[in-house]
Amino acid sequence: MPRRLLILGSTGSIGTQALEVVAAAPEGTFEIVGLAAARQWESVVAQAREHGVTRIALADADAAARAGEAWTDGEVLQGPEGLVRMVLESGADLVLNALVGAAGLGPTVATLGEGIDLALANKESLVVGGELVMQLAEATGARILPVDSEHSALWQLIQAESRTGTSAAREAGTIERLVLTASGGPFRGRTREELARVGVEQALKHPTWAMGGKITIDSATLMNKGLEVIEAQHLFGTGYDRIDVVVHPQSIVHSYVTLNDGAALAHLGHPDMKAPIAFALHHPERRPIPMRPLDLAEVGQLTFERADEETFRCLPLAREAGRAGGTAPCVLNAANEVAVHAFLSGAVGFLEIAEIVEETLNRVEATPVHAFDALYAADREARDVATALVAERA
């Protein structure tokens, strides 16, 4: 029986590469039961036609209306409710959530609530609602399969060490530290004075990965790595004092773990997202994919350095929000989304992204989280505060 796969965020970098992984798999491995995106309706319709999908969803109502007019071969769902309905009614065995931002939380909750396995590329689901999301997965028995290259690497290393999964490794106590690697983004080595003058075009020129605008800016500010630290804490149950970040410009070492006997295990490979996508979609099997094998002699040199947390303030801000817990990571994420959008539109400067996030965290009190409603309320309040801070700088 084919694995019934629903792809949310099918028009983005992860979604399009996931479709390539599916196309490269042996016939009958997957059946795509639905596709969804934020607003790129023409691309979703084209994907649906190519893959024989009869149901799509678009978060943007106008985009959904246009898709409904242009495509009469199936059903078009719209809005955040449409994304959730797609999950609930798809009959999927596996949902790939590659949506960008906090919009991915609702579909994540719906997926896990139904006991459906989740291939997770939407890190904000765990940043915003990690405590409740992990509790929900445990309650229903649904698996969360990391798709981010760093977390996929850690997952594979922990599995290899424990032989039976993440919990056994923690209980055995053999893994001492988790180390996430960061490319350093386009501004590695720059001073604050230099960063005060950079523009959007420069910030979007990532040296290693081809990604969407928001995540590329997050990489430039190192917020992306801060969000990944929070995500790793929830996925692997490791304390923040045992999660490190190391800058590695070549992006060959995707992450590594240190062990209690002084040894370290690292996951290496060319920077290609098809590898972690394929690992999650095919899990527990490892299937061959058309990738160039790693030749370290050809690479020649791997370098590492500490992250400059004084210049790139978003990384320590994320770590502090993670330690605070409750709604603090939700506030951090909401403020960052507003600030990044403002930067992309030219309303604020690059360094002001971290300033807006920090001031929002100072103004919005963090509270414990007992239900998802508290997260949605904190998200709204943080966005209002951050929007006002952007307006003050205009």
Side-chain angles (χ1 to χ4, degrees):
M1 289 288 290
R3 179 168 289 179
R4 293 170 59 81
L5 175 65
L6 170 61
I7 301 178
L8 308 177
S10 63
T11 62
S13 173
I14 298 296
T16 54
Q17 290 181 85
L19 288 170
E20 292 174 14
V21 168
V22 169
E27 186 176 354
T29 302
F30 296 101
E31 177 189 354
I32 300 176
V33 296
L35 299 167
R39 57 183 62 87
Q40 295 185 36
W41 67 270
E42 291 173 308
S43 297
V44 178
V45 168
Q47 290 173 339
R49 286 175 174 151
E50 179 180 356
H51 295 279
V53 175
T54 59
R55 195 177 230 198
I56 64 175
L58 289 143
D60 182 82
D62 290 338
R66 288 170 176 256
E69 293 172 359
W71 185 59
T72 57
D73 298 331
E75 183 180 9
V76 180
L77 304 179
Q78 71 174 46
E81 301 82 4
L83 296 177
V84 170
R85 184 180 161 196
M86 173 81 85
V87 172
L88 298 178
E89 299 177 358
S90 66
D93 304 313
L94 178 66
V95 174
L96 170 61
N97 187 348
L99 295 167
V100 177
L105 178 59
T108 285
V109 172
T111 300
L112 297 175
E114 291 295 298
I116 302 170
D117 287 344
L118 175 68
L120 185 61
N122 173 257
K123 59 176 56 66
E124 289 85 358
S125 289
L126 289 178
V127 171
V128 173
E131 296 174 26
L132 297 181
V133 167
M134 296 307 295
Q135 290 172 15
L136 183 60
E138 184 174 357
T140 63
R143 299 178 301 164
I144 299 178
L145 315 176
V147 172
D148 273 350
S149 60
E150 297 83 358
H151 300 94
S152 177
L154 290 173
W155 178 34
Q156 294 177 57
L157 292 168
I158 292 170
Q159 281 190 325
E161 175 61 14
S162 69
R163 302 292 188 274
T164 56
T166 60
S167 60
R170 292 200 304 272
E171 291 164 8
T174 59
I175 294 178
E176 299 237 321
R177 307 190 73 78
L178 309 182
V179 185
L180 297 160
T181 54
S183 69
F187 302 138
R188 181 175 64 88
R190 301 282 188 97
T191 65
R192 288 187 63 82
E193 291 72 21
E194 292 171 323
L195 291 177
R197 299 188 295 272
V198 301
V200 173
E201 185 176 348
Q202 294 167 284
L204 289 173
K205 291 182 178 179
H206 195 280
T208 306
W209 298 96
M211 305 175 291
K214 195 268 183 184
I215 193 172
T216 303
I217 300 304
D218 281 350
S219 179
T221 65
L222 292 193
M223 176 61 87
N224 192 48
K225 207 54 50 177
L227 300 180
E228 288 176 5
V229 168
I230 298 173
E231 187 179 6
Q233 192 279 324
H234 288 300
L235 282 171
F236 307 114
T238 305
Y240 286 104
D241 59 339
R242 295 171 51 216
I243 303 175
D244 299 327
V245 172
V246 172
V247 174
H248 169 50
Q250 294 82 16
S251 298
I252 295 294
V253 177
H254 300 306
S255 281
Y256 66 93
V257 299
T258 61
L259 308 179
N260 60 357
D261 61 359
L265 302 177
H267 183 284
L268 288 76
H270 290 296
D272 189 325
M273 282 303 300
K274 288 191 184 70
I277 293 169
F279 188 78
L281 297 189
H282 287 292
H283 188 77
E285 298 180 15
R286 189 186 292 271
R287 294 285 187 90
I289 58 174
M291 279 188 61
R292 185 164 56 98
L294 178 64
D295 183 343
L296 286 176
E298 177 187 323
V299 173
Q301 188 177 41
L302 302 177
T303 61
F304 304 87
E305 60 194 64
R306 299 196 184 282
D308 181 359
E309 297 191 8
E310 292 186 9
T311 300
F312 297 92
R313 288 286 302 147
C314 284
L315 176 55
L317 286 172
R319 195 184 293 274
E320 291 165 14
R323 289 183 187 276
T327 58
C330 175
V331 171
L332 170 98
N333 181 75
N336 180 63
E337 288 189 12
V338 170
V340 168
H341 177 75
F343 171 69
L344 287 170
S345 64
V348 301
F350 182 79
L351 290 177
E352 289 179 291
I353 295 173
E355 293 171 3
I356 290 167
V357 171
E358 184 168 21
E359 185 58 29
T360 303
L361 285 166
N362 290 335
R363 294 191 187 188
V364 180
E365 182 181 2
T367 60
V369 177
H370 302 295
F372 285 104
D373 286 347
L375 296 173
Y376 295 130
D379 180 87
R380 286 192 299 271
E381 182 180 2
R383 289 178 191 276
D384 289 344
V385 169
T387 300
L389 289 170
V390 169
E392 291 174 9
R393 287 164 165 75

